[in-house]
Amino acid sequence: MKTICLYFEIHQVVHLKRYRFFDIGYDHYYYDDYANETGTDYLAQNSYIPALTTLLQMVKDSDGYFKVAFSISGVALEQLEQYAPRVVELLQELNATGSVEFLSEPYSHGLSSLAENNEDSFVSEVKRQSDLIFERFGQRPRVLRNSSLIYDDRIGGIVGDMGFEGLLTEGAKHILGWKSPHYLYHCNTNPNLKLLLRDFKLSDDISLRFSNTAWESYPLMADTYIDWIAQTPTDEQIYNIFMELNAIGVSQPLNSNILEFLKALPECARKRGITFSTPSQIIDNCKSVAPIDVPFPMSWSDEERDISCWLGNVMQKEAFNKLYKIGERIKYCADKNLIKQNTLSTGAGKRLLQDWDYLQASNNFRFMCTKNLGVGLDMGIYESAYDAFTNYMNILGDFQQRVHEILAVDADADELDALQLAMINKDKRIEELEKQVVRLKSAKTVKKKPYDMTKNGSSK
């Protein structure tokens, strides 16, 4: 039986403010709060709220026949909880229906999976995000989607070792060749990790082309869309439709009847015997047909389906390498014991870690892209990719100084390892001394009463 796996990504850009070279060392706040609030509110009112309300109604009207999956980055959830809590409420209402699955992803929606010798940072981000999803929605994610569906064999091995059962990625032509994305595959280096491959044509028909009046299939009707799926070969069973949630209402405006199109999908699918499934249901009910060999990173971005929009030029690579060069220091800064006395407070240390999340976000590197993306990109305050690079590097320079205030600038990797070992030994020693104190207290002899000479036949 054919089944549709419909998935939406929710990520919110954290806008950086104009930051000059002469601000380095003096101004440690990097964000445009007005742009972040207005941007979040705009997306909430024009995309997230109407889209989620419609999806909730689709679940209810279909008596659970319709199912959908979401992933939401940690930085997006922070902004939504602050500026648009109604969006979070709708996600919780959808969760309560039992027809929704929440996936995990890197907390920052960043590129830590691509940083050499930085596996710990990627693993830590994913675990933090999984814990956040469990805390907010009561689901422990079984499936991961990396930022922008970035994937290769190395990343798959890491994700599989973390215990995830499935991963979403792109059904790129240069990887699949003659193969179809309409099957379940598995990781080349870890067969336990199943791969769900995005059908980019069916996905982009909705997210990119739906309102294009010059498109040969315009206007697209729900029954036509379902017929395209029904008419595929019988043995092709899985149709992964993955897109950003803001495609509903922003990329495809609400006056394009995009919501009416979505509402009609469940009933049209039911009539053709096509079901809806979450990623975990597909993993549970389908068998992998073959491994997928992905030696170089791919993504769902641009025509090339690679990582060139983030790391395709010298500026992007320079910013990326400088950011992750201090990744080891950040890991140690996470422990309040490493915060210098009389220099930074624990609160300031937490703020440093939050800045680390925001500076990792992939959009910071996309703004530095110089190639033709083929789609419009809102550059915000930036006049060019070079302007974005200069502003980001100024901020990164100040951020690096703050990190060095916590860990001495000349501390090399060996010194960091020695520091960590010393901390571990110190904690063990404290634990041993505490146990010794308990033993001494329990063994303390109670003072004896004065001996009574009248006893045992003795005279007074």
Side-chain angles (χ1 to χ4, degrees):
M1 180 178 291
K2 297 181 184 296
T3 190
I4 297 172
C5 179
L6 184 62
Y7 152 81
F8 292 100
E9 170 206 287
I10 304 176
H11 173 61
Q12 192 68 28
V13 172
V14 177
H15 296 277
L16 302 178
K17 70 180 182 181
R18 178 63 66 183
Y19 195 91
R20 310 290 182 184
F21 174 80
F22 297 103
D23 293 327
I24 297 175
Y26 298 97
D27 183 0
H28 304 318
Y29 192 76
Y30 311 136
Y31 314 106
D32 187 335
D33 289 335
Y34 176 78
N36 288 325
E37 181 174 2
T38 55
T40 303
D41 183 69
Y42 174 81
L43 284 174
Q45 299 302 323
N46 294 278
S47 173
Y48 297 160
I49 292 176
L52 293 174
T53 300
T54 298
L55 294 170
L56 178 61
Q57 193 61 46
M58 291 166 65
V59 172
K60 293 180 178 179
D61 289 347
S62 66
D63 294 325
Y65 189 81
F66 174 73
K67 295 177 176 61
V68 65
F70 297 95
S71 74
I72 177 170
S73 68
V75 297
L77 194 56
E78 287 181 18
Q79 290 208 77
L80 290 172
E81 289 178 336
Q82 181 176 2
Y83 299 126
R86 178 55 184 155
V87 176
V88 182
E89 292 174 0
L90 284 169
L91 287 170
Q92 291 170 338
E93 290 179 33
L94 274 160
N95 181 49
T97 65
S99 295
V100 172
E101 179 176 4
F102 286 93
L103 314 183
S104 188
E105 68 167 76
Y107 188 97
S108 70
H109 195 270
L111 307 174
S112 57
S113 63
L114 297 175
E116 294 183 5
N117 303 318
N118 201 58
E119 179 180 326
D120 288 347
S121 186
F122 173 63
V123 170
S124 175
E125 275 205 87
V126 171
K127 287 183 177 179
R128 287 170 56 209
Q129 183 62 17
S130 296
D131 291 342
L132 183 64
I133 293 300
F134 182 73
E135 178 184 331
R136 294 293 191 275
F137 304 106
Q139 293 190 27
R140 179 63 65 181
R142 298 170 55 193
V143 178
L144 175 80
R145 61 90 57 194
N146 197 8
S147 307
S148 300
L149 301 189
I150 294 172
Y151 175 79
D152 62 15
D153 292 335
R154 181 186 63 84
I155 294 172
I158 296 171
V159 173
D161 289 344
M162 291 177 66
F164 285 98
E165 300 172 48
L167 183 143
L168 274 53
T169 189
E170 179 70 3
K173 284 185 177 180
H174 69 278
I175 294 298
L176 283 177
W178 58 268
K179 299 185 182 74
S180 168
H182 303 151
Y183 298 92
L184 184 66
Y185 295 91
H186 62 263
C187 173
N188 190 38
T189 59
N190 190 329
N192 293 324
L193 182 71
K194 303 303 186 290
L195 302 178
L196 287 81
L197 306 184
R198 175 177 179 259
D199 185 316
F200 62 84
K201 181 189 180 301
L202 289 175
S203 300
D204 292 348
D205 285 342
I206 299 175
S207 63
L208 297 182
R209 292 183 280 270
F210 183 82
S211 60
N212 182 3
T213 56
W215 181 34
E216 61 182 9
S217 297
Y218 178 87
L220 179 62
M221 301 298 177
D223 55 354
T224 301
Y225 188 80
I226 294 298
D227 283 344
W228 290 345
I229 295 175
Q231 292 165 6
T232 57
T234 305
D235 60 341
E236 296 188 6
Q237 300 290 311
I238 303 169
Y239 298 82
N240 298 311
I241 314 299
F242 304 161
M243 68 192 80
E244 297 178 353
L245 185 61
N246 63 24
I248 312 301
V250 177
S251 301
Q252 308 306 319
L254 298 180
N255 61 14
S256 68
N257 292 324
I258 184 67
L259 295 181
E260 287 68 24
F261 169 82
L262 289 176
K263 290 177 184 177
L265 285 177
E267 188 57 31
C268 291
R270 194 197 296 263
K271 290 179 179 178
R272 300 303 300 268
I274 298 173
T275 64
F276 288 85
S277 300
T278 64
S280 289
Q281 288 176 325
I282 289 177
I283 292 170
D284 290 339
N285 298 325
C286 300
K287 292 184 178 180
S288 171
V289 296
I292 293 292
D293 184 17
V294 189
F296 304 105
M298 66 175 177
S299 75
W300 72 357
S301 293
D302 308 330
E303 186 66 25
E304 297 85 355
R305 301 292 196 262
D306 59 12
I307 59 173
S308 59
C309 64
W310 304 289
L311 298 177
N313 63 45
V314 174
M315 294 185 299
Q316 292 170 312
K317 292 175 182 177
E318 173 66 19
F320 179 84
N321 291 334
K322 185 174 182 180
L323 175 67
Y324 284 103
K325 188 176 181 180
I326 56 177
E328 278 297 308
R329 301 179 190 276
I330 293 295
K331 184 172 67 173
Y332 291 102
C333 289
D335 193 313
K336 65 181 181 180
N337 292 327
L338 297 183
I339 299 175
K340 276 190 174 183
Q341 190 175 5
N342 301 323
T343 302
L344 288 175
S345 66
T346 302
K350 291 180 179 179
R351 180 55 184 276
L352 193 78
L353 297 174
Q354 185 180 57
D355 291 340
W356 168 248
D357 287 332
Y358 293 169
L359 291 177
Q360 286 188 89
S362 62
N363 53 274
N364 293 313
F365 300 92
R366 193 172 178 87
F367 289 144
M368 304 176 201
C369 185
T370 52
K371 75 171 189 176
N372 183 3
L373 296 174
V375 294
L377 178 64
D378 182 5
M379 294 290 289
I381 64 172
Y382 303 127
E383 298 177 0
S384 67
Y386 307 98
D387 186 26
F389 171 74
T390 300
N391 199 69
Y392 184 82
M393 293 303 281
N394 286 340
I395 291 174
L396 195 55
D398 181 79
F399 180 73
Q400 189 174 34
Q401 284 188 12
R402 291 166 59 205
V403 173
H404 289 162
E405 289 179 358
I406 295 178
L407 284 179
V409 66
D410 58 348
D412 58 21
D414 291 337
E415 290 174 323
L416 290 175
D417 291 339
L419 179 58
Q420 184 185 36
L421 181 60
M423 291 172 54
I424 294 173
N425 290 337
K426 181 190 69 175
D427 292 339
K428 288 182 178 178
R429 181 57 177 162
I430 291 174
E431 184 179 354
E432 290 174 358
L433 291 173
E434 288 177 345
K435 290 180 178 178
Q436 186 176 354
V437 169
V438 172
R439 286 197 300 269
L440 290 172
K441 286 182 177 180
S442 61
K444 186 177 180 181
T445 304
V446 179
K447 291 184 178 180
K448 296 181 179 180
K449 294 181 180 180
Y451 185 72
D452 189 349
M453 297 292 293
T454 63
K455 296 182 178 180
N456 300 323
S458 300
S459 61
K460 188 174 178 179

